[in-house]
Amino acid sequence: MSIGLVLEGGAMRGMYTAGVLDVFMENDIKVDGIIGVSAGVLFGVNYLSNQKGRAIRYNKRFVKKNNYMGFKSLLLTGNIVNKEFAFYEVPFKLDVFDNDTYVKSNVTFYATVTNLSTGAPEYIEIKDVFNQMEVLRASSAMPYVSKIVEYGGQKYLDGGISDSIPVDRCRELGFEKVIVVLTRTLEYRKKKSKSFLPKLKYSKYPNFVKTLSTRYKRYNETVEKIIDLENKKEIFVIRPSRKVKIKRIERDENKLQEMYDLGREDCENKLVSLKEWLKV
């Protein structure tokens, strides 16, 4: 039986996912393949490197530093999350990512990105985190506050724009069991934006503008589909049991801890039912 795992993004709401995955590691919950989006990619790779606690540790350590993320970084570099510090200094030197263990895991991991030319999602397999750090950046490069990331001759931004929760893609890959980790509560739905920013900012990429403008519709349709599949017991979902007031670029380490702790709590509460579902 093959098990797939889908990890939603959501910037610092992703601390919830980090909590869930740490509980997975503690309880030897294994999967055969993962599709992540944005923060789901950034924090999800630690699951395959077997580095429990790493995501919450380095985020709490650096979250208040201006060279990690924030509007100072945006003004100076064009990226609200600092490219050099967050993606190269931290994982290579300051809180080293165990790339060797990740590579040896033999678990396929796909990062969802959005192609600016086509406006469509692409799913790039991350075989080596250190060699493909730009894919991790692309998957999490939020529109308006991030520079476009170029990789393999293509231009990309945040994968959540085109496929926020790639449950369909995961099922298409043939996984018999699919676990979905969300970062929004059951009742959350996106609202249609009336902003003119997409056309102003990305006028050179009309397909991307269309994708960005209709994101809310796809997201809400996917959420409804997930609820239906969950009720039919065709997938297993772990989502926040309550709302935590946390910003996308949250600099309060107590909020990060609260989101992480909720992920741990919700996962621990579902462990028995998850293990039973996996056996069926």
Side-chain angles (χ1 to χ4, degrees), residues 209-268:
V209 170
K210 183 178 179 180
T211 298
L212 186 57
S213 300
T214 56
R215 181 190 181 190
Y216 78 98
K217 183 178 180 181
R218 288 189 308 282
Y219 181 90
N220 294 342
E221 289 173 349
T222 301
V223 169
E224 294 298 340
K225 183 171 186 175
I226 286 172
I227 292 172
D228 181 59
L229 291 171
E230 181 184 18
N231 289 336
K232 293 176 180 176
K233 300 189 183 301
E234 293 184 24
I235 63 174
F236 192 96
V237 182
I238 301 174
R239 61 168 65 82
S241 56
R242 60 179 174 82
K243 183 178 180 180
V244 174
K245 291 184 178 180
I246 185 170
K247 300 173 183 176
R248 292 183 65 82
I249 302 298
E250 182 59 69
R251 306 193 72 178
D252 183 345
E253 59 187 76
N254 293 322
K255 288 291 185 181
L256 303 187
Q257 188 68 54
E258 183 181 1
M259 199 75 194
Y260 171 83
D261 289 343
L262 181 61
R264 289 190 58 91
E265 177 187 333
D266 288 345
C267 188
E268 287 169 351

Side-chain angles (χ1 to χ4, degrees), residues 132-224:
Q132 294 177 278
M133 192 61 73
E134 289 303 285
V135 180
L136 274 70
R137 278 213 316 125
S139 183
S140 58
M142 294 180 285
Y144 312 121
V145 292
S146 305
K147 287 184 177 179
I148 294 168
V149 179
E150 294 193 28
Y151 181 82
Q154 297 293 322
K155 296 180 179 180
Y156 298 108
L157 280 175
D158 192 337
I161 297 164
S162 55
D163 195 355
S164 296
I165 316 170
V167 65
D168 282 343
R169 179 60 176 173
C170 191
R171 300 180 86 206
E172 286 169 3
L173 289 171
F175 293 107
E176 298 166 89
K177 295 277 187 177
V178 176
I179 304 168
V180 181
V181 180
L182 304 178
T183 58
R184 293 284 196 180
T185 56
L186 179 64
E187 67 277 5
Y188 177 80
R189 301 293 184 277
K190 288 190 180 299
K191 296 180 180 179
K192 182 178 181 179
S193 173
K194 298 180 180 179
S195 173
F196 292 101
L197 275 178
K199 290 183 179 180
L200 291 175
K201 179 71 174 179
Y202 301 108
S203 58
K204 295 180 181 179
Y205 309 100
N207 290 325
F208 179 77
V209 170
K210 183 178 179 180
T211 298
L212 186 57
S213 300
T214 56
R215 181 190 181 190
Y216 78 98
K217 183 178 180 181
R218 288 189 308 282
Y219 181 90
N220 294 342
E221 289 173 349
T222 301
V223 169
E224 294 298 340

